[in-house]
Amino acid sequence: MRHGKKINHLSRTSAHRKALLRNLTIALITHKRINTTLAKAKALRKYAEPLITKSKTNDTHNRRVVFSYLQNKEAVTELFSTVADKVADRPGGYLRVIKTGFRLGDGAETAMIELVDFNEVYDKNAAKSTSKTRRSRRRRGSKGSGSSSAATALETTTATTTEVTEETLSDKPAAAPIAAAAAPIAENPTAPKMPDVADATTAGEEE
């Protein structure tokens, strides 16, 4: 029975499991981010984080210890140069595991494991925006003050309306006098002339 044993054997023998974790660690150091199953990602985090801690002290002893685990000179050089400079101020917790769903073939739960300091987009400690929205505050007064304020506002609106009306009337040009009323009606020369009443009376007296 495996009661109390925290290690995940990953259904592999000891040699196979060590080779798997070694290759995953080399890929993680080289690419800074890899996709694998969730169980392998959790086992890899336990395997790789102690090696990253050793890389903070760049001496011959730690290099030989890490090389005994990885057996890859390029990965050791990358770990003690680029990665060590990035994680120098971080006291542990160098890796992040993010679940990415389930694999289509067998339904295994997959995850992405990455170095925290090499992700420029996902940063929980990013400074929040300091811009503040200015909001107007309304004072709460008594009913009397509210009614007096309303009356003052009404008087101001009325005065403004009166001023606008006077300005509009002063700017409007005066209406031109009606020419038809002032000028006499012109006579039409072609129309037959109607006899006046006085002429008709004179003609009757002569007869």
Side-chain angles (χ1 to χ4, degrees):
M1 293 182 291
R2 57 173 304 277
H3 290 218
K5 296 182 180 179
K6 296 181 181 180
I7 185 173
N8 188 349
H9 296 280
L10 300 175
S11 300
R12 288 166 174 82
T13 60
S14 177
H16 190 182
R17 185 170 58 255
K18 288 180 181 179
L20 170 68
L21 296 176
R22 179 188 301 124
N23 291 331
L24 289 175
T25 305
I26 293 171
L28 179 62
I29 293 172
T30 303
H31 302 288
K32 311 299 185 296
R33 182 184 296 111
I34 59 174
N35 291 301
T36 181
T37 61
L38 181 61
K40 291 177 184 176
K42 290 181 177 180
L44 176 61
R45 181 168 55 185
K46 292 182 180 180
Y47 183 87
E49 284 193 344
L51 302 180
I52 298 175
T53 301
K54 291 182 180 297
S55 70
K56 290 184 174 182
T57 307
N58 189 4
D59 55 8
T60 305
H61 173 67
N62 285 322
R63 279 180 173 267
R64 287 178 176 175
V65 171
V66 173
F67 182 77
S68 67
Y69 282 90
L70 299 183
Q71 297 293 317
N72 187 289
K73 292 182 180 180
E74 289 77 11
V76 173
T77 303
E78 179 73 12
L79 178 62
F80 277 84
S81 58
T82 306
V83 178
D85 294 340
K86 278 277 191 179
V87 302
D89 298 331
R90 184 175 294 276
Y94 314 107
L95 301 178
R96 176 188 294 125
V97 177
I98 301 175
K99 296 179 182 181
T100 56
F102 298 90
R103 196 160 55 190
L104 294 178
D106 56 355
E109 193 171 3
T110 58
M112 179 185 70
I113 182 169
E114 64 178 2
L115 289 163
V116 174
D117 295 287
F118 285 86
N119 191 335
E120 303 295 338
V121 178
Y122 184 76
D123 188 5
K124 287 185 177 181
N125 298 325
K128 296 183 179 180
S129 176
T130 57
S131 61
K132 296 182 179 179
T133 304
R134 185 175 180 181
R135 297 180 180 178
S136 60
R137 299 181 64 182
R138 181 180 298 175
R139 292 185 178 180
R140 294 184 178 180
S142 60
K143 293 184 179 180
S145 61
S147 59
S148 61
S149 300
T152 305
L154 181 59
E155 291 176 0
T156 305
T157 305
T158 306
T160 306
T161 307
T162 306
E163 292 176 0
V164 171
T165 306
E166 292 177 355
E167 291 178 359
T168 305
L169 293 176
S170 62
D171 295 340
K172 186 176 180 181
I178 302 175
I185 300 175
E187 296 183 359
N188 189 359
T190 58
K193 186 178 180 179
M194 297 295 295
D196 296 336
V197 178
D199 297 344
T201 306
T202 306
E205 291 176 354
E206 291 178 355
E207 292 177 355

